[in-house]
Amino acid sequence: MSRASAAADGSPGAPPDTLVSDAQLSILRIAHDTKCLQRQIDEVADRERAALLESVERLRAEAELRMEALRRQAADAIQAQVREQVEAAQRQKAELQAAVRERAERAKRFTELQAAEALTAAMALERLAEFGRREQSELL
Protein backbone atom coordinates (compact mmCIF):
# COMPACT_ATOMS: atom_id res chain seq x y z
CA MET A 1 0.00 0.00 0.00
CA SER A 2 1.35 3.41 -0.90
CA ARG A 3 1.68 6.22 1.53
CA ALA A 4 -1.08 8.25 -0.11
CA SER A 5 -3.56 5.40 0.03
CA ALA A 6 -2.61 4.66 3.59
CA ALA A 7 -3.10 8.28 4.45
CA ALA A 8 -6.43 8.29 2.68
CA ASP A 9 -7.73 5.42 4.77
CA GLY A 10 -6.27 6.95 7.89
CA SER A 11 -4.46 3.76 8.64
CA PRO A 12 -1.99 3.84 11.46
CA GLY A 13 0.85 2.87 9.15
CA ALA A 14 0.91 6.25 7.40
CA PRO A 15 3.57 8.69 8.45
CA PRO A 16 2.30 11.77 10.38
CA ASP A 17 3.68 14.19 7.73
CA THR A 18 1.47 12.65 5.08
CA LEU A 19 -1.61 12.96 7.25
CA VAL A 20 -0.97 16.65 7.83
CA SER A 21 -0.16 17.22 4.19
CA ASP A 22 -3.34 15.49 3.03
CA ALA A 23 -5.40 17.43 5.61
CA GLN A 24 -3.81 20.71 4.53
CA LEU A 25 -4.39 19.77 0.89
CA SER A 26 -8.06 19.04 1.64
CA ILE A 27 -8.41 22.36 3.49
CA LEU A 28 -6.78 24.17 0.59
CA ARG A 29 -9.14 22.48 -1.85
CA ILE A 30 -12.13 23.35 0.31
CA ALA A 31 -10.90 26.94 0.60
CA HIS A 32 -10.36 27.12 -3.17
CA ASP A 33 -13.79 25.61 -3.88
CA THR A 34 -15.32 28.02 -1.36
CA LYS A 35 -13.66 30.98 -3.08
CA CYS A 36 -14.85 29.75 -6.48
CA LEU A 37 -18.39 29.31 -5.20
CA GLN A 38 -18.30 32.72 -3.50
CA ARG A 39 -17.08 34.30 -6.76
CA GLN A 40 -19.91 32.61 -8.64
CA ILE A 41 -22.41 33.75 -6.01
CA ASP A 42 -21.03 37.29 -6.24
CA GLU A 43 -21.24 37.26 -10.05
CA VAL A 44 -24.84 36.02 -9.97
CA ALA A 45 -25.70 38.60 -7.30
CA ASP A 46 -24.08 41.35 -9.39
CA ARG A 47 -26.05 40.29 -12.48
CA GLU A 48 -29.27 40.12 -10.47
CA ARG A 49 -28.54 43.51 -8.87
CA ALA A 50 -27.89 45.03 -12.31
CA ALA A 51 -31.08 43.48 -13.67
CA LEU A 52 -33.02 44.75 -10.67
CA LEU A 53 -31.60 48.26 -11.05
CA GLU A 54 -32.47 48.19 -14.75
CA SER A 55 -35.99 47.05 -13.92
CA VAL A 56 -36.36 49.77 -11.27
CA GLU A 57 -35.14 52.41 -13.73
CA ARG A 58 -37.56 51.17 -16.40
CA LEU A 59 -40.44 51.25 -13.91
CA ARG A 60 -39.44 54.76 -12.79
CA ALA A 61 -39.38 55.94 -16.42
CA GLU A 62 -42.80 54.36 -17.04
CA ALA A 63 -44.16 56.03 -13.90
CA GLU A 64 -42.78 59.39 -15.10
CA LEU A 65 -44.48 58.93 -18.47
CA ARG A 66 -47.77 58.00 -16.81
CA MET A 67 -47.57 60.98 -14.45
CA GLU A 68 -46.87 63.32 -17.38
CA ALA A 69 -49.82 61.85 -19.29
CA LEU A 70 -52.04 62.33 -16.22
CA ARG A 71 -50.79 65.91 -15.82
CA ARG A 72 -51.63 66.65 -19.45
CA GLN A 73 -55.00 64.95 -19.10
CA ALA A 74 -55.79 66.97 -15.96
CA ALA A 75 -54.67 70.22 -17.62
CA ASP A 76 -56.83 69.45 -20.67
CA ALA A 77 -59.82 68.67 -18.43
CA ILE A 78 -59.32 71.91 -16.49
CA GLN A 79 -59.04 73.91 -19.72
CA ALA A 80 -62.19 72.27 -21.08
CA GLN A 81 -64.06 73.05 -17.86
CA VAL A 82 -62.85 76.66 -17.88
CA ARG A 83 -63.86 76.96 -21.55
CA GLU A 84 -67.34 75.59 -20.74
CA GLN A 85 -67.70 78.00 -17.81
CA VAL A 86 -66.63 80.95 -19.98
CA GLU A 87 -69.08 79.93 -22.69
CA ALA A 88 -71.87 79.54 -20.11
CA ALA A 89 -71.03 82.98 -18.68
CA GLN A 90 -71.08 84.47 -22.18
CA ARG A 91 -74.48 82.87 -22.90
CA GLN A 92 -75.83 84.15 -19.58
CA LYS A 93 -74.43 87.62 -20.32
CA ALA A 94 -76.08 87.60 -23.77
CA GLU A 95 -79.39 86.50 -22.22
CA LEU A 96 -79.19 89.24 -19.59
CA GLN A 97 -78.32 91.84 -22.22
CA ALA A 98 -81.27 90.72 -24.34
CA ALA A 99 -83.58 90.94 -21.32
CA VAL A 100 -82.25 94.41 -20.45
CA ARG A 101 -82.71 95.55 -24.07
CA GLU A 102 -86.27 94.22 -24.05
CA ARG A 103 -87.05 96.00 -20.79
CA ALA A 104 -85.49 99.19 -22.11
CA GLU A 105 -87.54 98.91 -25.30
CA ARG A 106 -90.72 98.41 -23.25
CA ALA A 107 -89.81 101.36 -21.04
CA LYS A 108 -89.16 103.48 -24.13
CA ARG A 109 -92.53 102.52 -25.66
CA PHE A 110 -94.27 103.18 -22.34
CA THR A 111 -92.55 106.56 -22.04
CA GLU A 112 -93.46 107.43 -25.64
CA LEU A 113 -97.06 106.37 -25.01
CA GLN A 114 -97.22 108.47 -21.83
CA ALA A 115 -95.67 111.41 -23.69
CA ALA A 116 -98.22 111.04 -26.50
CA GLU A 117 -101.07 110.82 -23.97
CA ALA A 118 -99.72 113.82 -22.11
CA LEU A 119 -99.44 115.79 -25.36
CA THR A 120 -102.96 114.76 -26.34
CA ALA A 121 -104.23 115.75 -22.91
CA ALA A 122 -102.37 119.08 -23.09
CA MET A 123 -103.78 119.79 -26.55
CA ALA A 124 -107.28 118.89 -25.34
CA LEU A 125 -106.87 121.22 -22.34
CA GLU A 126 -105.63 123.99 -24.59
CA ARG A 127 -108.59 123.56 -26.95
CA LEU A 128 -110.89 123.50 -23.95
CA ALA A 129 -109.24 126.63 -22.60
CA GLU A 130 -109.50 128.26 -26.06
CA PHE A 131 -113.14 127.24 -26.24
CA GLY A 132 -113.73 128.67 -22.77
CA ARG A 133 -112.09 132.00 -23.77
CA ARG A 134 -114.21 132.23 -26.88
CA GLU A 135 -117.33 131.51 -24.91
CA GLN A 136 -116.39 134.13 -22.43
CA SER A 137 -115.59 136.71 -25.07
CA GLU A 138 -118.94 136.01 -26.77
CA LEU A 139 -120.79 136.46 -23.54
CA LEU A 140 -119.26 139.79 -22.95
Side-chain angles (χ1 to χ4, degrees):
M1 190 186 268
S2 73
R3 267 210 240 148
S5 62
D9 351 13
S11 54
D17 290 348
T18 307
L19 288 176
V20 171
S21 296
D22 285 345
Q24 287 176 340
L25 185 59
S26 292
I27 290 173
L28 289 174
R29 278 191 191 136
I30 291 171
H32 175 72
D33 290 346
T34 302
K35 285 180 185 178
C36 288
L37 286 173
Q38 187 61 49
R39 195 173 320 123
Q40 288 175 351
I41 290 170
D42 290 344
E43 288 172 1
V44 168
D46 287 344
R47 283 193 302 269
E48 287 179 358
R49 189 177 308 116
L52 183 61
L53 289 174
E54 184 180 311
S55 177
V56 166
E57 181 57 30
R58 187 180 65 253
L59 289 173
R60 187 201 59 76
E62 287 175 9
E64 284 289 328
L65 290 174
R66 286 182 185 152
M67 285 190 303
E68 185 57 35
L70 287 174
R71 275 189 220 121
R72 273 187 255 118
Q73 192 177 29
D76 290 346
I78 290 169
Q79 286 178 346
Q81 186 177 13
V82 166
R83 196 172 24 256
E84 287 174 16
Q85 289 175 345
V86 167
E87 289 171 359
Q90 288 173 338
R91 281 192 302 274
Q92 186 178 16
K93 177 184 172 185
E95 290 169 2
L96 288 173
Q97 286 175 337
V100 166
R101 277 193 294 273
E102 185 180 330
R103 282 189 218 126
E105 189 60 37
R106 275 195 238 143
K108 178 183 171 192
R109 284 193 304 263
F110 181 72
T111 302
E112 288 172 348
L113 181 63
Q114 283 183 330
E117 287 175 357
L119 184 60
T120 303
M123 288 171 54
L125 282 176
E126 186 157 327
R127 279 190 299 239
L128 188 57
E130 183 65 33
F131 179 72
R133 280 190 294 259
R134 269 192 237 154
E135 287 290 320
Q136 214 173 22
S137 61
E138 286 180 13
L139 285 177
L140 289 177

mmCIF file with all atom_site columns, all heavy atoms in Angstrom, residues 98-118:
data_model
loop_
_atom_site.group_PDB
_atom_site.id
_atom_site.type_symbol
_atom_site.label_atom_id
_atom_site.label_alt_id
_atom_site.label_comp_id
_atom_site.label_asym_id
_atom_site.label_entity_id
_atom_site.label_seq_id
_atom_site.pdbx_PDB_ins_code
_atom_site.Cartn_x
_atom_site.Cartn_y
_atom_site.Cartn_z
_atom_site.occupancy
_atom_site.B_iso_or_equiv
_atom_site.pdbx_formal_charge
_atom_site.auth_seq_id
_atom_site.auth_comp_id
_atom_site.auth_asym_id
_atom_site.auth_atom_id
_atom_site.pdbx_PDB_model_num
ATOM 1   N N   . ALA A 1 98  ? -80.035  90.753  -23.562 1.00 0.00 ? 98  ALA A N   1
ATOM 2   C CA  . ALA A 1 98  ? -81.274  90.716  -24.340 1.00 0.00 ? 98  ALA A CA  1
ATOM 3   C C   . ALA A 1 98  ? -82.462  91.104  -23.470 1.00 0.00 ? 98  ALA A C   1
ATOM 4   O O   . ALA A 1 98  ? -83.341  91.870  -23.896 1.00 0.00 ? 98  ALA A O   1
ATOM 5   C CB  . ALA A 1 98  ? -81.476  89.332  -24.943 1.00 0.00 ? 98  ALA A CB  1
ATOM 6   N N   . ALA A 1 99  ? -82.491  90.603  -22.235 1.00 0.00 ? 99  ALA A N   1
ATOM 7   C CA  . ALA A 1 99  ? -83.584  90.935  -21.316 1.00 0.00 ? 99  ALA A CA  1
ATOM 8   C C   . ALA A 1 99  ? -83.557  92.424  -20.984 1.00 0.00 ? 99  ALA A C   1
ATOM 9   O O   . ALA A 1 99  ? -84.615  93.082  -20.942 1.00 0.00 ? 99  ALA A O   1
ATOM 10  C CB  . ALA A 1 99  ? -83.473  90.099  -20.044 1.00 0.00 ? 99  ALA A CB  1
ATOM 11  N N   . VAL A 1 100 ? -82.368  92.982  -20.763 1.00 0.00 ? 100 VAL A N   1
ATOM 12  C CA  . VAL A 1 100 ? -82.254  94.413  -20.451 1.00 0.00 ? 100 VAL A CA  1
ATOM 13  C C   . VAL A 1 100 ? -82.705  95.241  -21.658 1.00 0.00 ? 100 VAL A C   1
ATOM 14  O O   . VAL A 1 100 ? -83.426  96.237  -21.508 1.00 0.00 ? 100 VAL A O   1
ATOM 15  C CB  . VAL A 1 100 ? -80.803  94.768  -20.029 1.00 0.00 ? 100 VAL A CB  1
ATOM 16  C CG1 . VAL A 1 100 ? -80.570  96.257  -20.022 1.00 0.00 ? 100 VAL A CG1 1
ATOM 17  C CG2 . VAL A 1 100 ? -80.496  94.172  -18.664 1.00 0.00 ? 100 VAL A CG2 1
ATOM 18  N N   . ARG A 1 101 ? -82.287  94.823  -22.863 1.00 0.00 ? 101 ARG A N   1
ATOM 19  C CA  . ARG A 1 101 ? -82.713  95.551  -24.069 1.00 0.00 ? 101 ARG A CA  1
ATOM 20  C C   . ARG A 1 101 ? -84.239  95.507  -24.218 1.00 0.00 ? 101 ARG A C   1
ATOM 21  O O   . ARG A 1 101 ? -84.875  96.507  -24.568 1.00 0.00 ? 101 ARG A O   1
ATOM 22  C CB  . ARG A 1 101 ? -82.050  94.951  -25.307 1.00 0.00 ? 101 ARG A CB  1
ATOM 23  C CG  . ARG A 1 101 ? -80.655  95.463  -25.554 1.00 0.00 ? 101 ARG A CG  1
ATOM 24  C CD  . ARG A 1 101 ? -80.161  95.084  -26.953 1.00 0.00 ? 101 ARG A CD  1
ATOM 25  N NE  . ARG A 1 101 ? -79.989  93.650  -27.130 1.00 0.00 ? 101 ARG A NE  1
ATOM 26  C CZ  . ARG A 1 101 ? -78.892  92.975  -26.824 1.00 0.00 ? 101 ARG A CZ  1
ATOM 27  N NH1 . ARG A 1 101 ? -77.843  93.603  -26.333 1.00 0.00 ? 101 ARG A NH1 1
ATOM 28  N NH2 . ARG A 1 101 ? -78.822  91.670  -27.011 1.00 0.00 ? 101 ARG A NH2 1
ATOM 29  N N   . GLU A 1 102 ? -84.810  94.338  -23.938 1.00 0.00 ? 102 GLU A N   1
ATOM 30  C CA  . GLU A 1 102 ? -86.268  94.219  -24.050 1.00 0.00 ? 102 GLU A CA  1
ATOM 31  C C   . GLU A 1 102 ? -86.966  95.127  -23.045 1.00 0.00 ? 102 GLU A C   1
ATOM 32  O O   . GLU A 1 102 ? -87.926  95.821  -23.387 1.00 0.00 ? 102 GLU A O   1
ATOM 33  C CB  . GLU A 1 102 ? -86.680  92.753  -23.829 1.00 0.00 ? 102 GLU A CB  1
ATOM 34  C CG  . GLU A 1 102 ? -88.158  92.505  -24.032 1.00 0.00 ? 102 GLU A CG  1
ATOM 35  C CD  . GLU A 1 102 ? -88.530  91.051  -23.800 1.00 0.00 ? 102 GLU A CD  1
ATOM 36  O OE1 . GLU A 1 102 ? -87.696  90.165  -24.040 1.00 0.00 ? 102 GLU A OE1 1
ATOM 37  O OE2 . GLU A 1 102 ? -89.676  90.809  -23.371 1.00 0.00 ? 102 GLU A OE2 1
ATOM 38  N N   . ARG A 1 103 ? -86.463  95.121  -21.815 1.00 0.00 ? 103 ARG A N   1
ATOM 39  C CA  . ARG A 1 103 ? -87.046  96.003  -20.790 1.00 0.00 ? 103 ARG A CA  1
ATOM 40  C C   . ARG A 1 103 ? -86.877  97.464  -21.175 1.00 0.00 ? 103 ARG A C   1
ATOM 41  O O   . ARG A 1 103 ? -87.791  98.280  -20.985 1.00 0.00 ? 103 ARG A O   1
ATOM 42  C CB  . ARG A 1 103 ? -86.406  95.729  -19.433 1.00 0.00 ? 103 ARG A CB  1
ATOM 43  C CG  . ARG A 1 103 ? -86.935  94.499  -18.772 1.00 0.00 ? 103 ARG A CG  1
ATOM 44  C CD  . ARG A 1 103 ? -86.455  94.363  -17.337 1.00 0.00 ? 103 ARG A CD  1
ATOM 45  N NE  . ARG A 1 103 ? -86.191  92.956  -17.104 1.00 0.00 ? 103 ARG A NE  1
ATOM 46  C CZ  . ARG A 1 103 ? -85.070  92.436  -16.654 1.00 0.00 ? 103 ARG A CZ  1
ATOM 47  N NH1 . ARG A 1 103 ? -84.068  93.219  -16.327 1.00 0.00 ? 103 ARG A NH1 1
ATOM 48  N NH2 . ARG A 1 103 ? -84.934  91.138  -16.491 1.00 0.00 ? 103 ARG A NH2 1
ATOM 49  N N   . ALA A 1 104 ? -85.729  97.810  -21.694 1.00 0.00 ? 104 ALA A N   1
ATOM 50  C CA  . ALA A 1 104 ? -85.485  99.192  -22.105 1.00 0.00 ? 104 ALA A CA  1
ATOM 51  C C   . ALA A 1 104 ? -86.417  99.583  -23.251 1.00 0.00 ? 104 ALA A C   1
ATOM 52  O O   . ALA A 1 104 ? -86.952  100.709 -23.281 1.00 0.00 ? 104 ALA A O   1
ATOM 53  C CB  . ALA A 1 104 ? -84.025  99.367  -22.526 1.00 0.00 ? 104 ALA A CB  1
ATOM 54  N N   . GLU A 1 105 ? -86.636  98.646  -24.181 1.00 0.00 ? 105 GLU A N   1
ATOM 55  C CA  . GLU A 1 105 ? -87.541  98.914  -25.303 1.00 0.00 ? 105 GLU A CA  1
ATOM 56  C C   . GLU A 1 105 ? -88.961  99.109  -24.801 1.00 0.00 ? 105 GLU A C   1
ATOM 57  O O   . GLU A 1 105 ? -89.677  100.020 -25.227 1.00 0.00 ? 105 GLU A O   1
ATOM 58  C CB  . GLU A 1 105 ? -87.468  97.753  -26.306 1.00 0.00 ? 105 GLU A CB  1
ATOM 59  C CG  . GLU A 1 105 ? -88.189  98.000  -27.592 1.00 0.00 ? 105 GLU A CG  1
ATOM 60  C CD  . GLU A 1 105 ? -87.668  99.198  -28.377 1.00 0.00 ? 105 GLU A CD  1
ATOM 61  O OE1 . GLU A 1 105 ? -86.452  99.450  -28.388 1.00 0.00 ? 105 GLU A OE1 1
ATOM 62  O OE2 . GLU A 1 105 ? -88.502  99.901  -28.982 1.00 0.00 ? 105 GLU A OE2 1
ATOM 63  N N   . ARG A 1 106 ? -89.378  98.244  -23.840 1.00 0.00 ? 106 ARG A N   1
ATOM 64  C CA  . ARG A 1 106 ? -90.721  98.412  -23.254 1.00 0.00 ? 106 ARG A CA  1
ATOM 65  C C   . ARG A 1 106 ? -90.847  99.741  -22.524 1.00 0.00 ? 106 ARG A C   1
ATOM 66  O O   . ARG A 1 106 ? -91.863  100.427 -22.642 1.00 0.00 ? 106 ARG A O   1
ATOM 67  C CB  . ARG A 1 106 ? -91.011  97.258  -22.285 1.00 0.00 ? 106 ARG A CB  1
ATOM 68  C CG  . ARG A 1 106 ? -91.561  96.060  -22.976 1.00 0.00 ? 106 ARG A CG  1
ATOM 69  C CD  . ARG A 1 106 ? -92.180  95.091  -21.963 1.00 0.00 ? 106 ARG A CD  1
ATOM 70  N NE  . ARG A 1 106 ? -91.495  93.823  -22.124 1.00 0.00 ? 106 ARG A NE  1
ATOM 71  C CZ  . ARG A 1 106 ? -91.179  92.988  -21.157 1.00 0.00 ? 106 ARG A CZ  1
ATOM 72  N NH1 . ARG A 1 106 ? -91.460  93.289  -19.911 1.00 0.00 ? 106 ARG A NH1 1
ATOM 73  N NH2 . ARG A 1 106 ? -90.585  91.865  -21.408 1.00 0.00 ? 106 ARG A NH2 1
ATOM 74  N N   . ALA A 1 107 ? -89.790  100.083 -21.765 1.00 0.00 ? 107 ALA A N   1
ATOM 75  C CA  . ALA A 1 107 ? -89.814  101.357 -21.041 1.00 0.00 ? 107 ALA A CA  1
ATOM 76  C C   . ALA A 1 107 ? -89.884  102.525 -22.018 1.00 0.00 ? 107 ALA A C   1
ATOM 77  O O   . ALA A 1 107 ? -90.601  103.508 -21.775 1.00 0.00 ? 107 ALA A O   1
ATOM 78  C CB  . ALA A 1 107 ? -88.580  101.476 -20.153 1.00 0.00 ? 107 ALA A CB  1
ATOM 79  N N   . LYS A 1 108 ? -89.156  102.422 -23.123 1.00 0.00 ? 108 LYS A N   1
ATOM 80  C CA  . LYS A 1 108 ? -89.164  103.484 -24.130 1.00 0.00 ? 108 LYS A CA  1
ATOM 81  C C   . LYS A 1 108 ? -90.565  103.619 -24.734 1.00 0.00 ? 108 LYS A C   1
ATOM 82  O O   . LYS A 1 108 ? -91.092  104.733 -24.879 1.00 0.00 ? 108 LYS A O   1
ATOM 83  C CB  . LYS A 1 108 ? -88.142  103.162 -25.220 1.00 0.00 ? 108 LYS A CB  1
ATOM 84  C CG  . LYS A 1 108 ? -88.106  104.167 -26.336 1.00 0.00 ? 108 LYS A CG  1
ATOM 85  C CD  . LYS A 1 108 ? -87.113  103.739 -27.401 1.00 0.00 ? 108 LYS A CD  1
ATOM 86  C CE  . LYS A 1 108 ? -87.229  104.631 -28.623 1.00 0.00 ? 108 LYS A CE  1
ATOM 87  N NZ  . LYS A 1 108 ? -86.504  104.098 -29.750 1.00 0.00 ? 108 LYS A NZ  1
ATOM 88  N N   . ARG A 1 109 ? -91.179  102.470 -25.099 1.00 0.00 ? 109 ARG A N   1
ATOM 89  C CA  . ARG A 1 109 ? -92.527  102.516 -25.662 1.00 0.00 ? 109 ARG A CA  1
ATOM 90  C C   . ARG A 1 109 ? -93.526  103.097 -24.657 1.00 0.00 ? 109 ARG A C   1
ATOM 91  O O   . ARG A 1 109 ? -94.400  103.903 -25.013 1.00 0.00 ? 109 ARG A O   1
ATOM 92  C CB  . ARG A 1 109 ? -92.962  101.113 -26.105 1.00 0.00 ? 109 ARG A CB  1
ATOM 93  C CG  . ARG A 1 109 ? -92.332  100.666 -27.394 1.00 0.00 ? 109 ARG A CG  1
ATOM 94  C CD  . ARG A 1 109 ? -93.037  99.420  -27.962 1.00 0.00 ? 109 ARG A CD  1
ATOM 95  N NE  . ARG A 1 109 ? -93.079  98.300  -27.055 1.00 0.00 ? 109 ARG A NE  1
ATOM 96  C CZ  . ARG A 1 109 ? -92.211  97.287  -27.061 1.00 0.00 ? 109 ARG A CZ  1
ATOM 97  N NH1 . ARG A 1 109 ? -91.243  97.252  -27.947 1.00 0.00 ? 109 ARG A NH1 1
ATOM 98  N NH2 . ARG A 1 109 ? -92.326  96.305  -26.193 1.00 0.00 ? 109 ARG A NH2 1
ATOM 99  N N   . PHE A 1 110 ? -93.377  102.666 -23.380 1.00 0.00 ? 110 PHE A N   1
ATOM 100 C CA  . PHE A 1 110 ? -94.275  103.177 -22.339 1.00 0.00 ? 110 PHE A CA  1
ATOM 101 C C   . PHE A 1 110 ? -94.099  104.687 -22.180 1.00 0.00 ? 110 PHE A C   1
ATOM 102 O O   . PHE A 1 110 ? -95.077  105.424 -22.085 1.00 0.00 ? 110 PHE A O   1
ATOM 103 C CB  . PHE A 1 110 ? -93.996  102.452 -21.012 1.00 0.00 ? 110 PHE A CB  1
ATOM 104 C CG  . PHE A 1 110 ? -94.875  102.888 -19.886 1.00 0.00 ? 110 PHE A CG  1
ATOM 105 C CD1 . PHE A 1 110 ? -96.226  102.535 -19.859 1.00 0.00 ? 110 PHE A CD1 1
ATOM 106 C CD2 . PHE A 1 110 ? -94.370  103.670 -18.853 1.00 0.00 ? 110 PHE A CD2 1
ATOM 107 C CE1 . PHE A 1 110 ? -97.033  102.935 -18.819 1.00 0.00 ? 110 PHE A CE1 1
ATOM 108 C CE2 . PHE A 1 110 ? -95.190  104.075 -17.813 1.00 0.00 ? 110 PHE A CE2 1
ATOM 109 C CZ  . PHE A 1 110 ? -96.519  103.715 -17.791 1.00 0.00 ? 110 PHE A CZ  1
ATOM 110 N N   . THR A 1 111 ? -92.829  105.130 -22.177 1.00 0.00 ? 111 THR A N   1
ATOM 111 C CA  . THR A 1 111 ? -92.554  106.565 -22.040 1.00 0.00 ? 111 THR A CA  1
ATOM 112 C C   . THR A 1 111 ? -93.116  107.328 -23.238 1.00 0.00 ? 111 THR A C   1
ATOM 113 O O   . THR A 1 111 ? -93.718  108.399 -23.075 1.00 0.00 ? 111 THR A O   1
ATOM 114 C CB  . THR A 1 111 ? -91.043  106.807 -21.926 1.00 0.00 ? 111 THR A CB  1
ATOM 115 O OG1 . THR A 1 111 ? -90.549  106.067 -20.803 1.00 0.00 ? 111 THR A OG1 1
ATOM 116 C CG2 . THR A 1 111 ? -90.714  108.261 -21.731 1.00 0.00 ? 111 THR A CG2 1
ATOM 117 N N   . GLU A 1 112 ? -92.932  106.773 -24.445 1.00 0.00 ? 112 GLU A N   1
ATOM 118 C CA  . GLU A 1 112 ? -93.463  107.433 -25.640 1.00 0.00 ? 112 GLU A CA  1
ATOM 119 C C   . GLU A 1 112 ? -94.982  107.481 -25.596 1.00 0.00 ? 112 GLU A C   1
ATOM 120 O O   . GLU A 1 112 ? -95.605  108.489 -25.980 1.00 0.00 ? 112 GLU A O   1
ATOM 121 C CB  . GLU A 1 112 ? -92.994  106.706 -26.900 1.00 0.00 ? 112 GLU A CB  1
ATOM 122 C CG  . GLU A 1 112 ? -91.531  106.901 -27.203 1.00 0.00 ? 112 GLU A CG  1
ATOM 123 C CD  . GLU A 1 112 ? -91.033  106.020 -28.347 1.00 0.00 ? 112 GLU A CD  1
ATOM 124 O OE1 . GLU A 1 112 ? -91.755  105.080 -28.775 1.00 0.00 ? 112 GLU A OE1 1
ATOM 125 O OE2 . GLU A 1 112 ? -89.892  106.256 -28.796 1.00 0.00 ? 112 GLU A OE2 1
ATOM 126 N N   . LEU A 1 113 ? -95.600  106.405 -25.117 1.00 0.00 ? 113 LEU A N   1
ATOM 127 C CA  . LEU A 1 113 ? -97.056  106.367 -25.006 1.00 0.00 ? 113 LEU A CA  1
ATOM 128 C C   . LEU A 1 113 ? -97.531  107.404 -23.996 1.00 0.00 ? 113 LEU A C   1
ATOM 129 O O   . LEU A 1 113 ? -98.490  108.142 -24.254 1.00 0.00 ? 113 LEU A O   1
ATOM 130 C CB  . LEU A 1 113 ? -97.512  104.960 -24.600 1.00 0.00 ? 113 LEU A CB  1
ATOM 131 C CG  . LEU A 1 113 ? -99.019  104.749 -24.454 1.00 0.00 ? 113 LEU A CG  1
ATOM 132 C CD1 . LEU A 1 113 ? -99.720  104.976 -25.792 1.00 0.00 ? 113 LEU A CD1 1
ATOM 133 C CD2 . LEU A 1 113 ? -99.304  103.352 -23.955 1.00 0.00 ? 113 LEU A CD2 1
ATOM 134 N N   . GLN A 1 114 ? -96.854  107.482 -22.847 1.00 0.00 ? 114 GLN A N   1
ATOM 135 C CA  . GLN A 1 114 ? -97.224  108.473 -21.835 1.00 0.00 ? 114 GLN A CA  1
ATOM 136 C C   . GLN A 1 114 ? -97.033  109.892 -22.376 1.00 0.00 ? 114 GLN A C   1
ATOM 137 O O   . GLN A 1 114 ? -97.850  110.774 -22.122 1.00 0.00 ? 114 GLN A O   1
ATOM 138 C CB  . GLN A 1 114 ? -96.393  108.276 -20.562 1.00 0.00 ? 114 GLN A CB  1
ATOM 139 C CG  . GLN A 1 114 ? -96.870  107.126 -19.718 1.00 0.00 ? 114 GLN A CG  1
ATOM 140 C CD  . GLN A 1 114 ? -96.063  107.019 -18.424 1.00 0.00 ? 114 GLN A CD  1
ATOM 141 O OE1 . GLN A 1 114 ? -94.890  107.370 -18.381 1.00 0.00 ? 114 GLN A OE1 1
ATOM 142 N NE2 . GLN A 1 114 ? -96.718  106.525 -17.378 1.00 0.00 ? 114 GLN A NE2 1
ATOM 143 N N   . ALA A 1 115 ? -95.919  110.082 -23.117 1.00 0.00 ? 115 ALA A N   1
ATOM 144 C CA  . ALA A 1 115 ? -95.674  111.414 -23.687 1.00 0.00 ? 115 ALA A CA  1
ATOM 145 C C   . ALA A 1 115 ? -96.769  111.759 -24.689 1.00 0.00 ? 115 ALA A C   1
ATOM 146 O O   . ALA A 1 115 ? -97.269  112.904 -24.716 1.00 0.00 ? 115 ALA A O   1
ATOM 147 C CB  . ALA A 1 115 ? -94.308  111.453 -24.355 1.00 0.00 ? 115 ALA A CB  1
ATOM 148 N N   . ALA A 1 116 ? -97.151  110.791 -25.519 1.00 0.00 ? 116 ALA A N   1
ATOM 149 C CA  . ALA A 1 116 ? -98.217  111.040 -26.497 1.00 0.00 ? 116 ALA A CA  1
ATOM 150 C C   . ALA A 1 116 ? -99.539  111.336 -25.789 1.00 0.00 ? 116 ALA A C   1
ATOM 151 O O   . ALA A 1 116 ? -100.284 112.253 -26.182 1.00 0.00 ? 116 ALA A O   1
ATOM 152 C CB  . ALA A 1 116 ? -98.364  109.830 -27.423 1.00 0.00 ? 116 ALA A CB  1
ATOM 153 N N   . GLU A 1 117 ? -99.834  110.573 -24.730 1.00 0.00 ? 117 GLU A N   1
ATOM 154 C CA  . GLU A 1 117 ? -101.070 110.816 -23.965 1.00 0.00 ? 117 GLU A CA  1
ATOM 155 C C   . GLU A 1 117 ? -101.024 112.183 -23.291 1.00 0.00 ? 117 GLU A C   1
ATOM 156 O O   . GLU A 1 117 ? -102.022 112.904 -23.268 1.00 0.00 ? 117 GLU A O   1
ATOM 157 C CB  . GLU A 1 117 ? -101.265 109.708 -22.921 1.00 0.00 ? 117 GLU A CB  1
ATOM 158 C CG  . GLU A 1 117 ? -101.693 108.387 -23.507 1.00 0.00 ? 117 GLU A CG  1
ATOM 159 C CD  . GLU A 1 117 ? -101.760 107.263 -22.465 1.00 0.00 ? 117 GLU A CD  1
ATOM 160 O OE1 . GLU A 1 117 ? -101.408 107.493 -21.279 1.00 0.00 ? 117 GLU A OE1 1
ATOM 161 O OE2 . GLU A 1 117 ? -102.159 106.155 -22.833 1.00 0.00 ? 117 GLU A OE2 1
ATOM 162 N N   . ALA A 1 118 ? -99.852  112.516 -22.755 1.00 0.00 ? 118 ALA A N   1
ATOM 163 C CA  . ALA A 1 118 ? -99.720  113.824 -22.105 1.00 0.00 ? 118 ALA A CA  1
ATOM 164 C C   . ALA A 1 118 ? -99.888  114.943 -23.122 1.00 0.00 ? 118 ALA A C   1
ATOM 165 O O   . ALA A 1 118 ? -100.541 115.961 -22.846 1.00 0.00 ? 118 ALA A O   1
ATOM 166 C CB  . ALA A 1 118 ? -98.369  113.924 -21.412 1.00 0.00 ? 118 ALA A CB  1
#
